[in-house]
Amino acid sequence: MRVTVVGAGVVGTMHAWQAVERGHTVVQIEREAEARGASLRNFGQIWVSGRAGGEELDTALRARELWQQMGERVPALGFRANGSLTPVRGALERAVAEAALARPDAAARGYQLLTAGEARALNPALRGDFDAALYCERDAAVEPRTAQLALRAELSKSPNYTFLPGREVREVVGAGAVRDDHGDLHTADTVVLCTGAWLGGLVRELAGPGLPVRRVRLQMMQTDPLGEPLTTSIADADSFRYYPAYASSALDELNARQPQSETAAAHRMQLLMVQRADGGLTIGDTHAYEQPFDFDTVEDPYDHLRGVVESFLGRPLPRIRRRWAGVYAQCTDPSRVVHRQQVRDGVWLVTGPGGRGMTCSPATAETTADELGW
């Protein structure tokens, strides 16, 4: 079988991986010299802890298995099973963590509620004040800025794989056939469009005006090396407000009696933090849903994040080395893990994973491959 994958972000690259692994001939087309979208502008977290129960959690857990398998085969992915800690303060935040522990799928996530001392033994960099911490053993991390490059280097060892950068697919000209902006025609048995947050142009033409996917903008930052290991990923209690796994009457009470700070609420914020291979910390993030998006980054969210992180670490952050904004595509129905739609004969659109893209993409691609009979 011949497969054309359009897009070289993590979702597209995972589809190419699945096709090559199953013995098919793959051409992967990317409009940039390298992917530059959400696949590089994220935490690199394989984030199981907050996923909604049911299909979303099942997808994340399967993807976690696949990431680990690929990490063993491709060490340059930087896969590490580091788990995560969410420090909590006060009775209201603790009650949300305890409600999460009472979920029927808590064991599958590897949830434990640790004392502050146990959390510091697991992650000695946490020298600040907190009462307890929710631990999720199944969370993991990879290096987002280089993961696609590492996967493609492995793919390129196969004679069945071809990468064509700097080409934008402009039209579908028949069943399984697309033409790029160089005028070249690419024919295949199946075309998979993994175009990320690019929802206009050809995507709008093929999917129509009712595509149930929206764009979301975020801001993040990265520090100089911390100078010591941060042995787990870190979240704060605002992540309870953001992730569906934490929905409970305890969360309702937290929201009612202890609302977010003005800055965090205005920018729909949570803290997520993971240490990079070079020792720096990737820290975020904000969420903006109303378009047109601002073209600048604003300082208030960064100041807020700095304060939260330093309160957990009990020390000043290293110098901020870089700041950035990103945009990703998210299904408007939050219960849907991804939007998968046949838009023409032999042509499928796969988009809208939202903040689950890095986490779930291996399993998303596996499902596509199974459904299309690869």
Side-chain angles (χ1 to χ4, degrees), residues 10-11 51 67 353-362 364:
V10 69
V11 175
R51 300 300 170 205
W67 272 116
R356 299 168 289 210
M358 203 69 175
T359 295
C360 293
S361 55
T364 295

Side-chain angles (χ1 to χ4, degrees), residues 108-362:
R109 302 169 189 267
Y111 278 162
Q112 298 178 52
L113 187 59
L114 305 183
T115 67
E118 290 170 335
R120 293 189 183 100
L122 183 63
N123 191 335
L126 296 176
R127 300 185 184 91
D129 293 328
F130 56 94
D131 301 329
L134 182 64
Y135 176 57
C136 181
E137 181 270 338
R138 298 305 294 161
D139 288 336
V142 294
E143 292 301 298
R145 290 175 181 254
T146 56
Q148 283 74 240
L149 299 177
L151 287 170
R152 197 165 67 243
E154 186 70 16
L155 283 168
S156 296
K157 296 177 183 178
S158 170
N160 293 333
Y161 175 77
T162 302
F163 179 60
L164 298 178
R167 294 170 180 256
E168 183 172 323
V169 171
R170 290 289 182 83
E171 61 177 329
V172 173
V173 294
V178 297
R179 193 183 307 278
D180 65 28
D181 58 357
H182 291 210
D184 293 336
L185 182 68
H186 307 275
T187 60
D189 300 290
T190 304
V191 176
V192 184
L193 303 173
C194 303
T195 55
W198 177 44
L199 302 176
L202 180 63
V203 173
R204 183 185 294 114
E205 176 186 327
L206 294 172
L211 183 66
V213 177
R214 64 178 176 178
R215 301 172 80 232
V216 181
R217 183 183 185 270
L218 55 83
Q219 285 187 201
M220 295 174 60
M221 61 182 175
Q222 187 169 333
T223 72
D224 280 343
L226 181 63
E228 63 180 319
L230 187 76
T231 55
T232 68
S233 297
I234 300 296
D236 73 346
D238 278 342
S239 69
F240 292 157
R241 310 175 201 267
Y242 184 77
Y243 284 106
Y246 304 118
S248 65
S249 59
L251 178 62
D252 294 340
E253 187 170 4
L254 174 68
N255 286 329
R257 296 178 56 190
Q258 187 177 304
Q260 284 186 292
S261 72
E262 182 177 349
T263 296
H267 295 278
R268 301 175 177 91
M269 295 182 68
Q270 60 175 343
L271 167 72
L272 295 178
M273 177 169 63
V274 62
Q275 190 169 45
R276 299 271 62 90
D278 69 355
L281 304 176
T282 299
I283 302 170
D285 63 347
T286 66
H287 302 87
Y289 302 99
E290 295 79 24
Q291 296 191 66
F293 295 134
D294 293 336
F295 57 82
D296 47 11
T297 59
V298 293
E299 284 300 302
D300 286 352
Y302 293 118
D303 292 341
H304 169 80
L305 290 169
R306 179 190 291 276
V308 174
V309 172
E310 291 181 348
S311 76
F312 288 151
L313 297 180
R315 54 166 283 187
L317 267 182
R319 182 181 69 96
I320 304 303
R321 180 165 54 186
R322 56 174 69 101
R323 308 169 191 264
W324 67 91
V327 177
Y328 60 73
Q330 178 187 66
C331 290
T332 53
D333 178 354
S335 69
R336 298 186 63 185
V337 176
V338 73
H339 179 71
R340 188 181 288 105
Q341 176 185 353
Q342 184 173 7
V343 292
R344 294 291 187 273
D345 288 344
V347 182
W348 291 78
L349 173 66
V350 182
T351 188
R356 299 168 289 210
M358 203 69 175
T359 295
C360 293
S361 55

